[in-house]
Amino acid sequence: MSLRELYQEMIVDHGKQPRNFGLLPEATHCEMGYNPLCGDKITLYLVTNNGVIESVRFEGVGCAISVASASLMTESIKGKSLGEVETLFQAFHALLTEGAERDDAVLGKLAIFAGVAEFPIRVKCATLAWHTLKAALSK
Ligand code: ZN
């Protein structure tokens, strides 16, 4: 199996069985995001404490890439400081929109979305959860 196929399989897996899916009644931050180009919708719930993401869950409907991206994002940011989350956001955004070189040390599993950069229409699907996260944290 090629790396590309492995990445594709991970996206399909997270798209079908998203992690951290559901409500988070004790959320300190909540934000909805919408990608009109594809119809992807997400509601993101966060609990932050002392500048750390303590829990995160999401609900929503959308294409496999948007759901997989939200699922992997929740896994990547849980337990991280807001500073670390900002670094992740920048690296992910640069990877998808600026053709930046993959920094696997920073991105970890998120690097599987590198191939999405080749499909501009899909970039919005992959970054929806992240823009929603930014909006949630800015409140
Ligand atoms: Zn989509």
Side-chain angles (χ1 to χ4, degrees), residues 8 14 31-32 59 63 69 71 87 104 109-110 118 126:
Q8 221 135 39
H14 277 263
E31 184 70 38
M32 283 170 64
E59 291 183 310
C63 66
S69 177
S71 171
T87 302
D104 288 19
K109 278 193 282 189
L110 299 172
E118 293 165 37

Side-chain angles (χ1 to χ4, degrees), residues 35 37-40 62-66 121-122 124-126:
N35 168 22
L37 287 176
C38 182
D40 309 316
C63 66
I65 289 176
S66 72
I121 193 112
R122 290 284 168 219
K124 299 248 185 236
C125 304

Side-chain angles (χ1 to χ4, degrees), residues 9 12 26 30 37 62 85 88 95-96 99 104 106 116 120 122 135:
E9 206 153 274
V12 169
E26 69 269 33
C30 172
L37 287 176
V85 168
L88 262 182
L95 174 76
L96 287 181
D104 288 19
V106 172
V116 174
R122 290 284 168 219

Side-chain angles (χ1 to χ4, degrees), residues 1-126:
M1 187 187 280
S2 73
L3 203 54
R4 202 188 174 86
E5 285 168 331
L6 179 71
Y7 286 175
Q8 221 135 39
E9 206 153 274
M10 277 181 77
I11 290 175
V12 169
D13 174 45
H14 277 263
K16 279 191 185 150
Q17 295 175 63
R19 319 304 196 262
N20 303 308
F21 193 87
L23 270 168
L24 192 59
E26 69 269 33
T28 56
H29 298 70
C30 172
E31 184 70 38
M32 283 170 64
Y34 177 52
N35 168 22
L37 287 176
C38 182
D40 309 316
K41 282 181 195 155
I42 179 177
T43 307
L44 190 66
Y45 307 98
L46 296 159
V47 175
T48 62
N49 189 13
N50 283 328
V52 171
I53 309 266
E54 269 189 352
S55 6
V56 51
R57 293 179 81 83
F58 76 102
E59 291 183 310
V61 287
C63 66
I65 289 176
S66 72
V67 174
S69 177
S71 171
L72 279 148
M73 182 187 81
T74 61
E75 286 196 329
S76 300
I77 65 172
K78 200 168 178 183
K80 292 242 165 64
S81 74
L82 298 182
E84 289 169 321
V85 168
E86 176 65 24
T87 302
L88 262 182
F89 174 87
Q90 297 295 347
F92 188 70
H93 202 257
L95 174 76
L96 287 181
T97 64
E98 294 157 27
E101 212 158 297
R102 271 174 52 187
D103 187 346
D104 288 19
V106 172
L107 289 165
K109 278 193 282 189
L110 299 172
I112 66 169
F113 290 97
V116 174
E118 293 165 37
F119 307 97
I121 193 112
R122 290 284 168 219
V123 168
K124 299 248 185 236
C125 304

